[in-house]
Amino acid sequence: PMKVNVGVGAYRCDEGMPFVLPCVRKAEAILQASNLDHEYLGIAGCVEFVNHALEFVYGADCKPLQEGWIAGVQTLSGTGGLRVMGEVLKEFGHTEIYVPNPTWGNHIPIFRNSGLEVKKYAYYDFDNSELDFANLIAEIKKMPEGACILMHVCAHNPTGMD
């Protein structure tokens, strides 16, 4: 009862059933009490949420954000977000994306199915169980200008490296 399996990206109890965190239950109760009308969001999601998220990530004083150089959309999930991103990259003329080695198992098919060639860059030192920073930087420097790079900014999957 004191163990939680987080190996597949979802919390599960000893019986294999989803474990919902108490803070999530509290958030659900707050939403339920607000009597939402369940109207569909636009295709880009909740614009107010996206704008707050962008300000949180980049800072309200971020000049590229203020000048409209940074855009965002709300997606159903990480997988859905990556697929949308792959489609956007392809639509705007990109033909390849670099992913860390290793990366989560579905990243490569997601981007291939978006029409992109997937290339890998050094990320993890398997012998020492740590970030392979020197090779990561060296390989990024060799990439062509304007290259698209997938980076896990925290909790790298599958290594857990931050």
Side-chain angles (χ1 to χ4, degrees):
M2 300 304 291
K3 296 178 184 176
V4 178
N5 177 357
V6 295
V8 294
Y11 294 113
R12 301 223 176 254
C13 67
D14 289 339
E15 292 77 35
M17 300 301 295
F19 175 77
V20 182
L21 297 170
C23 60
V24 172
R25 290 289 185 214
K26 186 176 180 181
E28 287 175 334
I30 292 168
L31 287 172
Q32 187 68 27
S34 66
N35 293 319
L36 297 174
D37 60 13
H38 296 276
E39 183 62 71
Y40 283 103
L41 294 173
I43 195 164
C46 175
V47 175
E48 184 180 11
F49 171 80
V50 171
N51 290 338
H52 283 300
L54 290 172
E55 283 186 13
F56 176 76
V57 171
Y58 293 100
D61 59 345
C62 173
K63 192 168 178 121
L65 183 61
Q66 293 171 348
E67 294 176 355
W69 288 94
I70 299 172
V73 297
Q74 181 181 7
T75 62
L76 180 60
S77 63
T79 299
L82 289 176
R83 179 58 190 248
V84 169
M85 190 67 215
E87 297 287 339
V88 168
L89 293 174
K90 183 71 174 170
E91 180 69 23
F92 282 90
H94 293 279
T95 58
E96 59 191 28
I97 188 165
Y98 292 83
V99 301
N101 183 30
T103 195
W104 191 35
N106 74 355
H107 289 169
I108 293 170
I110 287 170
F111 289 118
R112 282 187 181 150
N113 289 335
S114 298
L116 299 173
E117 179 183 353
V118 178
K119 297 183 175 184
K120 295 181 179 180
Y121 63 88
Y123 179 82
Y124 193 67
D125 179 343
F126 290 92
D127 294 331
N128 297 303
S129 298
E130 63 186 21
L131 180 68
D132 188 359
F133 188 75
N135 283 320
L136 182 150
I137 295 301
E139 290 193 14
I140 288 175
K141 286 181 177 181
K142 287 190 254 179
M143 292 175 191
E145 187 171 327
C148 300
I149 307 170
L150 175 67
M151 295 188 138
H152 307 212
V153 293
C154 69
H156 178 271
N157 193 341
T159 68
M161 180 63 52
D162 281 340

